[in-house]
Amino acid sequence: MKAETQKKIDGILCRVVEKGSLMSCADLDLVRKVTVSDSSRLVRIQMDGPGDNRSCICAGLVGDMLRGSVERDLKAEFEREFAGYRVEFADQ
């Protein structure tokens, strides 16, 4: 990956904050992988974190709510930084 592209991704992960903890996606290690395809004009985001543990129904529901908020914010930031690219989240 180009250094400029990695710098954009790192910046986004530091800027997007989970509102409950006020910590960035980078600090919470919520994003497992980001793939940018210039030829397909696609950004694909693979996440970890809240909502992955389904042993507790309540924790899963709260995790899904937090994840939804973070995903919206990540999508908006990636669309802004990678104008003209489609942004999608990979299924786990």
Side-chain angles (χ1 to χ4, degrees), residues 2-68:
K2 295 182 218 172
E4 178 182 318
T5 301
Q6 188 62 54
K7 186 175 178 179
K8 281 184 180 184
I9 292 169
D10 292 344
I12 292 168
L13 297 180
C14 287
R15 278 195 309 273
V16 174
V17 172
E18 190 280 310
K19 289 165 181 56
S21 66
L22 299 179
M23 293 176 68
S24 73
C25 288
D27 291 336
L28 292 171
D29 202 24
L30 292 177
V31 176
R32 180 184 309 158
K33 183 178 181 181
V34 177
T35 307
V36 178
S37 171
D38 293 325
S39 61
S40 300
R41 308 219 22 105
L42 172 69
V43 176
R44 188 177 178 115
I45 305 165
Q46 207 171 3
M47 291 186 66
D48 276 337
D52 286 346
N53 182 353
R54 298 300 175 182
S55 61
C56 173
I57 292 171
C58 292
L61 290 172
V62 171
D64 285 345
M65 289 173 27
L66 293 174
R67 181 182 218 134

